[in-house]
Amino acid sequence: MLTRRELGFGVGAAVTAGLARPALAQRPPVELVMAQQAQPPTLDAQVTTAQAARNITLHFAETLFARDEAGNPKPDLAEGVDISADGLTYRFALREARFHNGKQMTSADVKASLLRYGRVGGSAFIMQPVEAIDTPDARTVVVRMKQPSPGFIAGISSPRAPCAILPEEEAGKEANRADPIGTGPYRFVEYRPDSHVRLAKFGDYVQNRAYQGMDGFAGRKMANVDSLLIRFVPEGGARTAGLQAGEMHILEAIAVPAAQRLRNDRSLTMHEMMPWSFQTLMLNHVAPPMDNPVFRRALQAALDLEEIMAISTDGLYRMTHGWQHPGTEYFAGDVGKELYNLSNKDRARALLREANYRNEEIILLGDSSFKNHNDTIVTAAEQLRSVGINVRVVITDWPTAFSQRTQRTGWHMWALMLGIEPYEGPYGVVGFFSGQAPVQHARDPVIEECQAKLNNSLAEADRKQAVVDFQRRMYEQAIAIKCGDVGIVQATRAQVRDYKPYRIPRMWGVTLG
């Protein structure tokens, strides 16, 4: 168990100090309980792209820029930014903020945090264009670029693997070594693996008074309860039962059938959101025979994606081919649509012959923590067997599956709901398949060129063309397989007031009636 005592200030002292204030002495402490499916692989906010981690870390960690309700970048720890006409200089003015260890945030902390992100960050590629970082005074940070980087603000504002600002002394530590100290409205108390994380209200939190109210992960953040308990409950039925019994106040996600069954229960509120994520099948290009694009196209042809979506989502889905959401600025239209959801067994068998497939075993990696992932893998396995592919299904827990996919061996196909990346725009999606550690483990020259153009061109038309070229390459080379768009239902007890559903459950601004 990791506790605040290990961070240098004891749990008892921290919590007791908060409860001793006169305003709190008149009532018992109020704890809000949220249940999520998986436990986080780490609480080092910068290093992981896991949803199970950012659900937690974004309550105690903050970033220079965050995303508003519509997903647009907005200032958070920065008051704003001035960008030079040539796109090479970013000057950030910092607002007042205080770390949970009592230290005032300065430009030295920000510089050290940005540099660390470039070393260990889950989206470290966003720091590649940075040439130098200057700190002319305690409230100013100047980032100088090697070349224009129009996606830089989008990158540092992304919640995917948050570019969290840490105390300078923590930012000097290696990945997974930094203590969970931030500037957010809640502070870390304890982490009990296989059980829960507890956070407590940070009494010295400095609110961002540039905002009147909540606005995504920017905005004004009001901690209205004394503590947060984030429980790890892998089994969906147990989460639902806990909500009904009042043991839990918020569910990160509730199964669609359960949401439909309980929609008329006045003690509960259901919050449906579409789209929530892409359902995808990631492919390991360095594990033969997946290194052969003809074999990958055989998989692409064999799969009945609508059957996969119907089974894995319990009906809350839509069939769309785009690697950006329809109606958004970078949606690439019909590019690649002719290769989407082919469900053509004869074509698949012909491509297998062309690929000279010799019954090599293909390992499909799923996880038991997310029903959607498990159902996707199991359904895909049956479809691939039907065209003569030798398939072995391996189901583990989520942390194990997430760790395994970083290895170059031991898997060929992996199911993933890709949620944050398409929500934030093209940079995260293209970045997922490019850079030094692409998910497919083999860098593709066309996708690398798309990423460079997207990241470096000041012309909007060039950036949009880069996304078109990326989507075309994804389908023509079967880099990965997009199954469709997934919806989600969050659920709350009726006594949870002022809860606003969002990509990541936010537990500031919320009260318990």
Side-chain angles (χ1 to χ4, degrees), residues 96 107 167 177 184 250 265-266 313 318 322 414 469:
E96 183 184 355
S107 57
R177 298 290 185 180
I250 299 172
D265 187 332
R266 293 187 177 183
T313 68
R318 68 181 186 187
W414 175 55
D469 294 342

Side-chain angles (χ1 to χ4, degrees), residues 446-498:
V446 173
I447 293 180
E448 295 298 326
E449 184 179 345
C450 293
Q451 185 205 34
K453 188 181 293 184
L454 182 64
N455 287 335
N456 301 330
S457 177
L458 294 178
E460 183 179 287
D462 289 345
R463 298 197 299 272
K464 288 184 175 180
Q465 185 61 48
V467 178
V468 169
D469 294 342
F470 163 78
Q471 183 161 303
R472 182 178 293 112
R473 187 70 169 180
M474 291 293 288
Y475 278 100
E476 290 179 351
Q477 293 295 306
I479 303 295
I481 296 171
K482 181 186 175 186
C483 302
D485 291 349
V486 181
I488 195 172
V489 183
Q490 293 177 352
T492 61
R493 297 284 303 176
Q495 71 195 99
V496 176
R497 297 176 181 172
D498 301 318

Side-chain angles (χ1 to χ4, degrees), residues 35-145:
Q36 64 181 36
Q37 299 177 62
Q39 65 180 340
T42 178
L43 289 181
D44 189 339
Q46 290 190 345
V47 307
T48 178
T49 62
Q51 176 177 313
R54 59 178 171 258
N55 284 350
I56 299 166
T57 63
L58 284 169
H59 287 85
F60 66 74
E62 295 182 301
T63 53
L64 285 179
F65 271 64
R67 295 300 179 96
D68 68 9
E69 217 71 20
N72 302 306
K74 289 291 178 66
D76 191 8
L77 288 175
E79 291 181 342
V81 61
D82 290 327
I83 306 173
S84 63
D86 60 7
L88 295 177
T89 303
Y90 290 68
R91 179 177 290 269
F92 296 92
L94 305 179
R95 72 175 177 88
E96 183 184 355
R98 184 179 295 275
F99 290 109
H100 301 146
N101 61 5
K103 174 184 172 183
Q104 283 284 117
M105 183 191 74
T106 70
S107 57
D109 302 304
V110 174
K111 176 180 178 178
S113 297
L114 293 178
L115 291 175
R116 180 180 192 262
Y117 197 85
R119 298 191 303 270
V120 306
S123 299
F125 64 86
I126 67 177
M127 296 299 295
Q128 290 177 359
V130 174
E131 181 174 26
I133 302 176
D134 301 323
T135 54
D137 59 59
R139 297 286 292 273
T140 306
V141 175
V142 179
V143 178
R144 293 188 282 115
M145 301 292 184

